[in-house]
Amino acid sequence: MKKLLLGATLVAASVFGLTGTAQAATKSSSPYLPDTSKPGETQYVRLKKTMDVGFTQKTNGHYKKLLKKKGSLLEVMGINRNEVNGEYVPTVALTSGAVHYNRAKKLKYSTMDNMHAKLIPYTKANFTPVKLKAPDRTLLFQSGTGFKLNPKKDGLVTTPAFYLTLDNYLQYYSASDLVKVAPSGLYKDVRGMNVWKPTASVKVSKVTVKGRTTTVDYKKPLKGMPNKKISKGHYRLKIVHNTKKHHATFFPDGYTEEATWTTYKVNGKSYYVGESIEVKDYLDE
């Protein structure tokens, strides 16, 4: 399953032309923004004005154009060069990013349409690049100290996991629910195209960041999570990052996995964030 999902991701990237590689340096006088994203890094922008960025939203069973308001945070899925009015310019593919499931499931993005993509020039007049104030947002926190082979030794263990959405929800996934959409190691973080129904979720009231610690406050305990009760109607997660990088090579039946991750303590419990990539299928040789 993991192999097929990874293949689909690569095909999609090829079809859309969204390689994620940096374009040639843009002169300061250019009306277009440069692609400053680094490998494996998700890039975000805010709108400078209300505009049509290719979103449609399902309402009463029908999809209708959704104008995004000035100041809206958008995820950059990729940047490509396309012909617009006879000129080749950088155009951007956009999504809402990893927002709460009930919102995400109603959205479609025409900039990600592989047949008739809406072209949005990546201009300084329309977009401002931003970095998330809470860097732990959208990261997929998996329970445990790191990647491990399952008892059958035919794949990696899928553990319960959670992530903090861009619009302030904690979304929790049991191992049985997560394995349907993201077997362990397939994703380091969650993006706008990953519309996964959570096992449970809760609205977050406050997020604060100090150094390597992110504190998340919410009103109701979230089943499956190491909730810490502060007072009546007040619960908290304290997420502490250990920046030491870990690496391991695994040999499930028929292929090789290269895994990298870093560890966290969430209210004292062990979690990790990372990815495992299939690098060799030796049974096909």
Side-chain angles (χ1 to χ4, degrees), residues 21-60:
T21 57
Q23 306 293 338
T26 305
K27 296 181 180 179
S28 60
S29 59
S30 169
Y32 304 108
L33 287 165
D35 181 1
T36 58
S37 61
K38 299 177 182 178
E41 179 183 71
T42 304
Q43 191 172 351
Y44 296 93
V45 293
R46 287 195 185 277
L47 282 180
K48 288 187 173 182
K49 61 184 179 182
T50 298
M51 61 182 289
D52 175 12
V53 291
F55 286 24
T56 57
Q57 180 174 276
K58 193 173 186 179
T59 306
N60 297 325

Side-chain angles (χ1 to χ4, degrees), residues 10-11 69 80 90 127-128 134 143 150 154 175 190 208 238 279 285:
L10 293 173
V11 169
K69 295 181 180 180
N80 197 21
F127 304 105
T128 299
S143 177
N150 64 29
D154 60 357
V190 186
T208 56
K238 183 171 285 188
V279 295
E285 293 183 348

Side-chain angles (χ1 to χ4, degrees), residues 170-202:
L170 280 172
Q171 296 201 153
Y172 166 79
Y173 298 84
S174 66
S176 59
D177 282 341
L178 190 65
V179 76
K180 299 172 186 176
V181 292
S184 189
L186 189 60
Y187 293 96
K188 178 181 178 181
D189 58 353
V190 186
R191 307 195 68 178
M193 301 301 287
N194 304 131
V195 184
W196 308 335
K197 185 177 181 179
T199 307
S201 67
V202 66

Side-chain angles (χ1 to χ4, degrees), residues 254-268:
Y255 60 98
T256 303
E257 292 274 353
E258 293 288 347
T260 56
W261 69 93
T262 60
T263 59
Y264 292 75
K265 288 292 184 180
V266 180
N267 286 350

Side-chain angles (χ1 to χ4, degrees), residues 148-252:
K148 297 177 181 179
L149 279 176
N150 64 29
K152 294 182 179 180
K153 301 188 182 301
D154 60 357
L156 300 184
V157 174
T158 298
T159 71
F162 75 92
Y163 72 94
L164 174 63
T165 72
L166 296 173
D167 53 351
N168 287 324
Y169 283 84
L170 280 172
Q171 296 201 153
Y172 166 79
Y173 298 84
S174 66
S176 59
D177 282 341
L178 190 65
V179 76
K180 299 172 186 176
V181 292
S184 189
L186 189 60
Y187 293 96
K188 178 181 178 181
D189 58 353
V190 186
R191 307 195 68 178
M193 301 301 287
N194 304 131
V195 184
W196 308 335
K197 185 177 181 179
T199 307
S201 67
V202 66
K203 178 66 175 177
V204 168
S205 55
K206 186 179 180 181
V207 179
T208 56
V209 179
K210 186 176 182 180
R212 295 185 291 109
T213 301
T214 298
T215 303
V216 183
D217 291 277
Y218 46 102
K219 295 181 178 180
K220 297 180 180 180
L222 185 59
K223 184 178 180 180
M225 297 287 293
N227 311 282
K228 180 179 180 180
K229 186 174 182 179
I230 303 302
S231 61
K232 184 178 180 180
H234 184 184
Y235 293 83
R236 175 173 292 167
L237 289 184
K238 183 171 285 188
I239 305 170
V240 183
H241 186 201
N242 179 353
T243 58
K244 181 180 178 181
K245 295 182 179 180
H246 301 265
H247 170 264
T249 302
F250 299 98
F251 302 96

Side-chain angles (χ1 to χ4, degrees), residues 70-88:
K70 178 182 177 180
S72 294
L73 178 69
L74 303 174
E75 176 197 40
V76 177
M77 286 296 294
I79 300 172
N80 197 21
R81 296 189 71 83
N82 291 96
E83 186 176 352
V84 179
N85 298 326
E87 178 186 4
Y88 280 93

